[in-house]
Amino acid sequence: MLRPFAKWDLLFLVLAGALIGCSSGRNNHSGMNMSEMSMEPIKVELYWSPPEAVVTQEITFKARVTQGSEPVDDAKEVRFEVVNNTDASKKLKLTGTPVGQGNYTAKGMLAEAGSYSVTLHVTARTQHSMPTKSLTVKR
């Protein structure tokens, strides 16, 4: 059986050990370089060419990614998702390719006329952005 104050001594030692363990070291943050991170949000612009799409015509989907006034050329993910608004099973997923100055492109073609939602998924510098725009494809 522990003496009455031994419980408090043991509790103090456990808490002191936990505090020392949490505060020691170099604040590694799981290998992330915190000095290179910015709290400035990424800005993502979505557009395509030609602006008025026609069935079976090649469309170039474009993304421009910036942070502050600087282009972001090191995005981890740039993905275009084009979904038919009347039948969600009809979708096109394209991976963006970097072309410099924060610009990414992907090419695709839609086989049916109709209304589509284009969602751009961008993951860059610990942030994620998902702008969505409407696209109408004509015959």
Side-chain angles (χ1 to χ4, degrees), residues 62-77:
K62 301 175 183 180
R64 172 127 172 90
V65 185
T66 56
Q67 187 174 39
S69 61
E70 298 294 316
V72 174
D73 289 322
D74 60 349
K76 293 193 182 341
E77 173 190 50

Side-chain angles (χ1 to χ4, degrees), residues 4-137:
F5 292 107
K7 292 178 189 176
W8 291 109
D9 291 342
L10 182 61
L11 179 63
F12 174 77
L13 288 172
V14 169
L15 289 174
L19 289 174
I20 290 170
C22 291
S23 65
S24 67
R26 292 171 251 146
N27 293 332
N28 190 8
H29 298 289
S30 303
M32 295 172 66
N33 187 349
M34 300 301 280
S35 66
E36 293 179 8
M37 288 189 178
S38 172
M39 293 307 292
E40 180 92 23
I42 60 172
K43 181 180 175 188
V44 179
E45 298 172 66
L46 166 63
Y47 52 102
W48 48 83
S49 175
E52 294 187 14
V54 178
V55 171
T56 67
Q57 176 185 33
E58 185 173 75
I59 304 167
T60 302
F61 294 94
K62 301 175 183 180
R64 172 127 172 90
V65 185
T66 56
Q67 187 174 39
S69 61
E70 298 294 316
V72 174
D73 289 322
D74 60 349
K76 293 193 182 341
E77 173 190 50
V78 176
R79 186 171 36 91
F80 300 88
E81 185 176 26
V82 185
V83 180
N84 186 301
N85 288 336
T86 57
D87 185 355
S89 69
K90 295 177 183 174
K91 64 174 86 175
L92 180 63
K93 291 184 179 182
L94 304 166
T95 300
T97 303
V99 293
Q101 297 299 309
N103 294 299
Y104 298 81
T105 63
K107 295 183 180 193
M109 178 180 314
L110 297 165
E112 291 185 23
S115 179
Y116 292 82
S117 291
V118 181
T119 302
L120 172 59
H121 299 268
V122 176
T123 303
R125 302 181 179 176
T126 72
Q127 298 178 33
H128 188 76
S129 181
M130 294 175 32
T132 299
K133 285 187 172 181
S134 294
L135 168 65
T136 300
V137 177

